[in-house]
Amino acid sequence: MGYKQKTILLAAIAVVLAALYIFYDLTGVISYVLPRRVLKVAAMILTGGAIAFATTIFMTITNNRILTPSVMGLDSLYLLIQTVIVFLYGSSSLVMMNSYVNYIISIGAMVLFSLVLFKVLFKGEQNNIYFLLLIGMILGTFFSSFTTFMQVLIDPNEFMVAQDKMFASINNINGDLVYISIVVIALVIIYFLRFYKYLDVLALGKDESINLGVPYDYVVKRLLIIVAILISVATALVGPIVFLGLLVVNLSYEFMKTFRHQYIILGAVFISIIALIGGQFIVEKIFSFETTISVIINFVGGIYFIYLLLKENQSW
């Protein structure tokens, strides 16, 4: 089966799952239920596509199929932001109750953090992507520790609200935020198109890319900003899903059997959409909302991550 046929197959599976999720057991007031299901599918497509897209770019930049954008600390920063809001203003504050304000603050803080981090670390000639990852991991650990510290201090009832933000949720999506996310992601993709031609070369490594005429530092800085914006939008829209990118991008590489990013990105996006819609269908129809989609994704992704580590260890 060729690359195009594999891509079409994944797209067909994603469409079938989306239709199944929308129309399966469609009862009650259809004029109310149907638009909500379509909205949830749109949110899952946006989230899955953004995470898969960003993770593929990030793995190409780092030349490592185990590292994901979460090592930059964005997920931990998101949880810290939500906890700080509850700690300072309470769960009934405008910032928590108004999804628009929360969405803008979350995205603004994560993107600003990324820009400052990139600006500081890429100032000198000697700083490289691995130093960025190291600092990102340290800051992510700090954010997580500070989040835990603040959660211990807040009222138990307030803690329940903060805890809800720790897990991705598709059920309480604000439709207007989906439309805003569509616009933001579309603009980011349009900006990305000018750098698309460099991805296949960047996969060869920094030295090879420079030798082949790629303006490495310029391209990598812009691609990292694109990654930060996509992950920020996806996280602010539904919440953190740590292992989704790791899982779908590696599965795309295994299924596509190519290093051409044209097919890897499409494969990862469709697999991500399949995983989210399929996982949410299982959550609603089999587990009756007793668990969340992020728990299922992180469980499967965590097992796959251990498999990748063992596989890398054997190759050494």
Side-chain angles (χ1 to χ4, degrees):
M1 187 183 295
Y3 306 136
K4 291 183 179 179
Q5 288 77 11
K6 290 180 179 179
T7 304
I8 293 172
L9 174 62
L10 291 175
I13 295 174
V15 170
V16 169
L17 276 177
L20 178 64
Y21 181 85
I22 292 172
F23 296 107
Y24 179 81
D25 195 23
L26 187 61
T27 57
V29 183
I30 296 179
S31 60
Y32 172 78
V33 176
L34 186 60
R36 287 185 59 82
R37 289 192 181 183
V38 172
L39 186 66
K40 288 164 70 173
V41 168
M44 287 186 279
I45 291 173
L46 283 176
T47 303
I51 292 175
F53 193 18
T55 305
T56 304
I57 296 173
F58 193 79
M59 287 184 177
T60 300
I61 294 172
T62 59
N63 202 20
N64 190 308
R65 283 169 57 181
I66 294 179
L67 296 176
T68 65
S70 61
V71 301
M72 291 193 298
L74 293 179
D75 293 333
S76 301
L77 178 60
Y78 171 78
L79 297 178
L80 176 61
I81 293 168
Q82 303 305 316
T83 304
V84 168
I85 292 172
V86 173
F87 182 82
L88 294 178
Y89 303 107
S91 60
S92 59
S93 66
L94 173 66
V95 183
M96 287 301 294
M97 300 299 291
N98 191 312
S99 55
Y100 301 102
V101 177
N102 193 292
Y103 179 82
I104 293 172
I105 290 177
S106 299
I107 291 181
M110 287 187 284
V111 173
L112 181 62
F113 163 75
S114 303
L115 292 176
V116 171
L117 187 63
F118 300 155
K119 184 72 174 177
V120 171
L121 295 182
F122 281 103
K123 245 182 184 179
E125 294 285 333
Q126 302 301 320
N127 294 328
N128 57 39
I129 187 66
Y130 297 106
F131 186 61
L132 168 67
L133 298 179
L134 177 62
I135 298 299
M137 292 177 68
I138 294 172
L139 290 176
T141 303
F142 169 74
F143 293 151
S144 297
S145 300
F146 195 57
T147 299
T148 303
F149 171 73
M150 297 188 73
Q151 288 174 348
V152 171
L153 298 179
I154 62 179
D155 181 86
N157 295 323
E158 304 284 353
F159 171 74
M160 294 300 294
V161 176
Q163 190 179 42
D164 287 341
K165 296 292 184 178
M166 297 181 185
F167 303 97
S169 175
I170 310 293
N171 298 311
N172 299 317
I173 297 295
N174 186 315
D176 292 336
L177 295 184
V178 174
Y179 301 136
I180 295 172
S181 299
I182 290 175
V183 174
V184 174
I185 292 175
L187 292 175
V188 171
I189 292 176
I190 292 172
Y191 180 70
F192 162 79
L193 292 177
R194 61 189 296 188
F195 303 106
Y196 166 74
K197 59 186 177 182
Y198 297 118
L199 286 182
D200 289 343
V201 181
L202 287 175
L204 299 175
K206 179 178 180 179
D207 294 337
E208 289 78 3
S209 300
I210 294 174
N211 290 335
L212 291 171
V214 175
Y216 186 82
D217 288 341
Y218 175 82
V219 172
V220 166
K221 288 176 187 178
R222 272 66 186 176
L223 288 177
L224 284 174
I225 292 172
I226 290 172
V227 169
I229 295 174
L230 289 174
I231 293 297
S232 299
V233 171
T235 305
L237 186 62
V238 301
I241 311 178
V242 179
F243 286 107
L244 179 63
L246 173 79
L247 180 64
V248 300
V249 176
N250 278 283
L251 287 177
S252 179
Y253 272 110
E254 294 295 330
F255 182 68
M256 290 297 182
K257 299 294 184 183
T258 181
F259 288 92
R260 295 176 62 186
H261 284 78
Q262 174 185 354
Y263 299 108
I264 292 299
I265 291 175
L266 288 175
V269 167
F270 288 132
I271 293 174
S272 183
I273 293 170
I274 291 169
L276 281 181
I277 296 178
Q280 186 65 22
F281 186 85
I282 292 173
V283 167
E284 294 185 12
K285 304 305 178 184
I286 297 180
F287 291 106
S288 302
F289 294 101
E290 292 182 0
T291 186
T292 61
I293 180 65
S294 60
V295 172
I296 295 176
I297 296 293
N298 290 338
F299 174 73
V300 177
I303 294 175
Y304 191 70
F305 179 67
I306 295 173
Y307 163 75
L308 289 176
L309 290 177
L310 294 175
K311 183 180 177 182
E312 288 291 325
N313 186 47
Q314 290 176 357
S315 65
W316 291 341

